[in-house]
Amino acid sequence: MRGPDEPVRRWGWRYLPALLTLAACTGTADADALRKAWLVDAIVDDNRVWLSRDPTLLATKYDKMGDDPYDFMRGTAAVFLRDLARAGTDRAPTAFLTDPEAAEVLLAGDPHPENIGTLSPTEGVLLLELNDFDGSAFGPYLLDLRRMLVGVAYLGDEGRCGSDCAERLVRATTEAYLRELVSGYPWTSGLVDGRVDPVTQTLLDDVIEEGLGRERLLEYTQQIGAGRRFRIDPTLDDGRGIRPLDTEERRQLQRLLSRWSGAPAGFRVLDQARRYGSGVASLPAVRYVVAYDTGDDDPGDDGLLSIREVVDPPAVPGVHAGAPAYWDDHGHRIEDTARTMWSRPDADPHYAGLVDGPMTFKVQTMSSWHNSFDHTKILRDVDRAFLTVDDLEAWCTTLGQLLARAHARSPTARGGRAGEAILRDIGGAGEAFVAERVRDALADRRQLRTDHRLFHEARDELGALLGADLLEDR
């Protein structure tokens, strides 16, 4: 049996001989075979918590990652960071990060374009914000940029707007990020002062229409007398749907709600359930949904909450071992990061991090007023000529501005201002900074496509769970 202190990540290297044997038999024992073996090890290691708890949901997550390179990227943030940190990686070194504080900036963790969207602190107010801080940590500011830019580069590549489209969008994002830091903007507004690009405007139009119609509330629940009940799915279609809670889940949700200090006055639970099949990286996570009101029998005060498990963040490369412990626990980490990086701390008034034993959860408003960019919708609008490359470029300017503002509001681990540390690090080398970001983003995009192909091959060779279900614990 495996001893309690044996690193689980060693399991994955058992795949290496099998993969190399397969490669040798087909005459392709080359760099791809080695990369595939490393990739399987890294993915299995990253998903071991889901493997032991619910392999069926993990297989569904892998299916979703296999369907779309962008979703593969979403599901492999920890693998991306692990790759950057390992010795011998093919990715080129940076000429920046020479300022020590710039290497210990508060990071959102994974600010790719689909982790940006609308939040609504009060009715009639819409903000555009980063909205996922599961991987937040202190580390080199370039990591946040790389995660945003690989998503931008992929969308440019898929947007069918010419061979130089990816480079153009990456350059626009980076230049906007740099300009915003240099400008000294007060960084108090979540939207860009009325100058909304066409992609963001499309999102806002949808959010306003669906918000006014309370479409998400009506989709997931039905009013019964003065109460409200979730629409329960008899079976989970492709792993998606709403199901009743079992006894242990009900107890856990009661514990979490008892620890939540953000409940509005008059808060009453109307119904509660388990939601399956949402997200990509977090698809197998425990996810509760709560229907509530604030004491009025009229449905006008009814609302929904999402309470979703958050696993420990991946190790961030480049952070020295003596960096201070900044948070009490992971619940404090995700809540503090959000309220620091948002343009106003109540951007989601219900947002909170909660801890239940070894598990961490986050509470979020679940509303039609809260929505994120969707890469499939954006690419569909490009295909239909509803959006042009100029529109995408304007949108990328918005993305760069938003990340710069979030970084400028943030501290370093030493207590300094992150924006100032970043500007010191870049110095007068703005052109070189932009050129390096383009170089890295295009390389990351190429690696993303290669890794997605190798992921498909590995599942064909080793099975839906990359062979992890066949491992012997010995």
Side-chain angles (χ1 to χ4, degrees):
M1 296 292 288
R2 177 177 57 87
D5 297 324
E6 180 181 347
V8 180
R9 64 169 50 107
R10 291 179 56 195
W11 295 9
W13 287 106
R14 296 186 183 185
Y15 300 119
L16 183 58
L19 285 170
L20 291 181
T21 298
L22 285 167
C25 290
T26 58
T28 58
D30 54 12
D32 268 6
L34 292 171
R35 177 71 184 184
K36 189 190 305 181
W38 178 87
L39 189 64
V40 168
D41 177 67
I43 292 175
V44 169
D45 183 38
D46 184 40
N47 289 279
R48 64 186 182 273
V49 62
W50 316 127
L51 177 66
S52 62
R53 183 195 297 169
D54 199 327
T56 300
L57 285 180
L58 177 57
T60 302
K61 171 182 174 176
Y62 286 168
D63 289 342
K64 195 165 185 177
M65 288 165 56
D67 288 342
D68 186 336
Y70 193 100
D71 285 337
F72 176 81
M73 180 198 73
R74 289 181 60 183
T76 53
V79 176
F80 180 82
L81 293 177
R82 182 170 169 177
D83 194 21
L84 293 181
R86 69 192 180 102
T89 181
D90 292 334
R91 290 179 165 96
T94 181
F96 296 90
L97 294 179
T98 59
D99 185 289
E101 277 200 285
E104 294 178 357
V105 164
L106 178 59
L107 305 175
D110 194 18
H112 63 79
E114 287 197 341
N115 278 344
I116 297 171
T118 56
L119 297 177
S120 182
T122 58
E123 188 172 347
V125 175
L126 277 178
L127 306 175
L128 191 66
E129 306 279 359
L130 303 179
N131 58 19
D132 191 309
F133 304 98
D134 292 6
S136 62
F138 283 92
Y141 70 99
L142 291 181
L143 295 180
D144 267 358
L145 262 175
R146 285 189 85 140
R147 286 299 286 175
M148 175 175 279
L149 294 177
V150 66
V152 165
Y154 174 79
L155 292 175
D157 199 33
E158 288 289 297
R160 298 175 179 83
C161 50
S163 59
D164 64 341
C165 188
E167 178 176 346
R168 181 176 170 184
L169 298 187
V170 170
R171 186 175 295 277
T173 309
T174 308
E175 289 175 346
Y177 175 85
L178 185 55
R179 282 197 309 270
E180 197 72 5
L181 286 176
V182 171
S183 72
Y185 189 90
W187 300 294
T188 56
S189 172
L191 285 176
V192 191
D193 296 338
R195 300 185 299 276
V196 178
D197 65 85
V199 180
T200 301
Q201 188 62 59
T202 298
L203 174 66
L204 295 180
D205 290 344
D206 290 343
V207 164
I208 292 169
E209 179 181 356
E210 294 174 11
L212 291 173
R214 311 187 78 190
E215 291 189 12
R216 189 164 296 179
L217 180 70
L218 299 180
E219 176 186 0
Y220 289 110
T221 69
Q222 55 186 330
Q223 186 178 353
I224 299 178
R228 187 167 293 278
R229 293 291 180 267
F230 281 103
R231 301 179 188 274
I232 299 297
D233 296 288
T235 60
L236 296 178
D237 183 15
D238 295 326
R240 298 174 60 87
I242 303 289
R243 297 291 298 152
L245 302 179
D246 63 27
T247 300
E248 198 53 49
E249 290 170 339
R250 189 173 296 275
R251 288 173 179 165
Q252 182 175 60
L253 182 53
Q254 289 173 346
R255 290 195 301 272
L256 292 169
L257 288 173
S258 70
R259 295 167 186 161
W260 179 45
S261 62
F267 178 81
R268 299 188 303 185
V269 173
L270 302 178
D271 199 11
Q272 48 198 346
R274 175 88 183 266
R275 184 184 181 194
Y276 292 87
S278 181
V280 178
S282 63
L283 189 148
V286 176
R287 189 183 303 261
Y288 300 121
V289 283
V290 176
Y292 72 92
D293 71 3
T294 54
D296 192 335
D297 289 341
D298 185 275
D301 66 339
D302 294 357
L304 298 177
L305 297 174
S306 168
I307 303 179
R308 195 257 288 171
E309 180 188 10
V310 176
V311 298
D312 295 354
V316 174
V319 178
H320 66 76
Y326 199 84
W327 299 289
D328 299 331
D329 52 46
H330 290 309
H332 182 206
R333 172 180 61 84
I334 59 174
E335 183 172 345
D336 181 70
T337 302
R339 300 197 187 285
T340 298
M341 288 193 144
W342 283 339
S343 62
R344 47 186 286 181
D346 65 341
D348 180 349
H350 297 140
Y351 191 89
L354 302 174
V355 175
D356 185 45
M359 301 177 72
T360 300
F361 288 80
K362 66 178 177 183
V363 183
Q364 294 174 288
T365 302
M366 187 176 173
S367 163
S368 299
W369 294 105
H370 293 217
N371 207 349
S372 298
F373 290 114
D374 184 329
H375 77 280
T376 59
K377 292 181 180 178
I378 292 171
L379 292 177
R380 184 175 65 236
D381 285 347
V382 171
D383 283 342
R384 295 174 177 176
F386 295 161
L387 293 172
T388 68
V389 64
D390 289 341
D391 296 334
L392 294 180
E393 186 174 14
W395 174 58
C396 288
T397 296
T398 300
L399 300 183
Q401 289 173 326
L402 285 171
L403 184 59
R405 294 177 183 188
H407 280 173
R409 284 189 286 263
S410 298
T412 69
R414 304 182 184 199
R417 294 180 178 272
E420 294 176 1
I422 295 169
L423 285 176
R424 285 198 309 269
D425 186 62
I426 298 171
E431 290 185 10
F433 179 79
V434 173
E436 187 179 284
R437 303 286 69 71
V438 171
R439 179 203 70 186
D440 288 350
L442 298 185
D444 291 345
R445 177 204 60 184
R446 290 190 295 270
Q447 190 65 64
L448 169 63
R449 290 192 177 279
T450 297
D451 287 350
H452 186 247
R453 171 176 59 82
L454 295 177
F455 176 72
H456 268 287
E457 293 178 7
R459 291 191 85 200
D460 288 342
E461 294 161 358
L462 297 170
L465 291 174
L466 298 173
D469 51 327
L470 304 177
L471 286 175
E472 294 181 0
D473 187 12
R474 62 184 180 189

